[in-house]
């Protein structure tokens, strides 16, 4: 139930941002935040009491350098390396030790990891390039003993670990309110 409550505001946010994106991006064939755009990742973050949820969605191109099924040993090694990095969210998101955050749950999903595509991706089935657009989804839930110590969310390690990621569109819900921010490697931190 809690996850549903946290997900609901995120379901509504893209609608308002999508309209603005269409105005800025009307020449691009996809005008919403759900568009698959190389170099661009999305992060939903919610802090509710002692629970911090982070949901990262990225084209596989940003994280492994390709989107096709890994068949060569080199490609398989890249997928394994990216997965290993994603399995260390405390380091990846550089959460302050003072916040006392521990990983409660984590889920990694991608066709590259052997997962089947989501059923809600069926609307793209007519697109002949659909099989070339692999996404990687990572969902983390942390329990933080001192959530007040979470003053900023520093995403620099994501840019350093996955240099093909050029920007991250962040939707953040925290006790101080709700914000939508686009961060880059040069300005990788945002305030809670």
């Amino acid at each position: 139930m809690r996850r549903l409550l946290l997900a609901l505001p995120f379901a509504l946010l893209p609608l308002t941002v999508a309209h603005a994106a269409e105005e800025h991006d009307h020449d691009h064939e996809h005008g919403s935040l759900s568009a698959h755009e190389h170099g661009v990742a999305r992060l939903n973050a919610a802090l509710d009491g002692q629970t911090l949820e982070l949901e990262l969605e990225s084209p596989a191109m940003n994280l492994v350098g390709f989107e096709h099924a890994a068949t060569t040993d080199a490609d398989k090694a890249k997928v394994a390396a990216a997965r290993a990095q994603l399995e260390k969210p405390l380091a990846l998101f550089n959460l302050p030790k003072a916040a006392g955050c521990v990983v409660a749950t984590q889920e990694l999903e991608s066709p590259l990891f052997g997962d089947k595509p989501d059923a809600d991706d069926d609307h793209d089935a007519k697109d002949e390039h659909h099989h070339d657009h692999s996404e990687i989804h990572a969902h983390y839930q942390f329990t933080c003993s001192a959530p007040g110590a979470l003053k900023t969310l520093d995403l620099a390690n994501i840019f350093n670990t996955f240099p093909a990621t050029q920007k991250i569109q962040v939707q953040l819900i925290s006790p101080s309110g709700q914000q939508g921010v686009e961060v880059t490697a040069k300005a990788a931190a945002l305030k809670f």
Side-chain angles (χ1 to χ4, degrees), residues 1-168:
M1 184 69 168
R2 175 181 289 272
R3 187 170 175 184
L4 176 65
L5 292 174
L6 291 175
L8 185 59
F10 293 123
L12 301 175
L13 283 174
L15 298 176
T16 57
V17 180
H19 181 68
E22 283 176 9
E23 290 175 13
H24 292 300
D25 225 8
H26 66 277
D27 292 336
H28 194 277
E29 77 179 66
H30 301 291
S32 74
L33 286 180
S34 63
H36 181 98
E37 186 178 347
H38 294 173
V40 180
R42 293 168 306 285
L43 177 69
N44 293 330
L47 178 60
D48 180 22
Q50 293 186 317
T51 301
L52 172 64
E53 286 204 49
L54 299 175
E55 187 173 39
L56 179 69
E57 299 180 12
S58 176
M61 181 66 75
N62 299 354
L63 307 185
V64 297
F66 58 86
E67 297 192 332
H68 56 270
T71 53
T72 67
D73 288 343
D75 284 354
K76 289 177 185 176
K78 288 178 185 175
V79 170
R83 185 171 191 146
Q85 294 293 340
L86 291 168
E87 288 174 345
K88 298 181 215 160
L90 289 171
L92 194 61
F93 291 100
N94 198 23
L95 298 175
K97 287 187 177 24
C101 296
V102 294
V103 178
T105 62
Q106 73 180 31
E107 298 171 45
L108 301 176
E109 296 176 4
S110 174
L112 296 181
F113 300 152
D115 299 327
K116 292 182 179 170
D118 292 337
D120 61 352
D121 287 343
D122 288 344
H123 67 276
D124 289 335
K126 293 178 228 157
D127 182 355
E128 63 191 44
H129 302 292
H130 174 68
H131 62 278
D132 295 332
H133 293 303
S134 294
E135 293 266 333
I136 294 177
H137 298 265
H139 180 262
Y140 308 99
Q141 186 173 15
F142 304 89
T143 301
C144 303
S145 59
L150 290 170
K151 302 292 184 203
T152 61
L153 183 59
D154 184 356
L155 304 178
N157 284 351
I158 293 177
F159 291 106
N160 293 336
T161 304
F162 305 112
T165 302
Q166 297 162 359
K167 60 186 173 180
I168 302 173

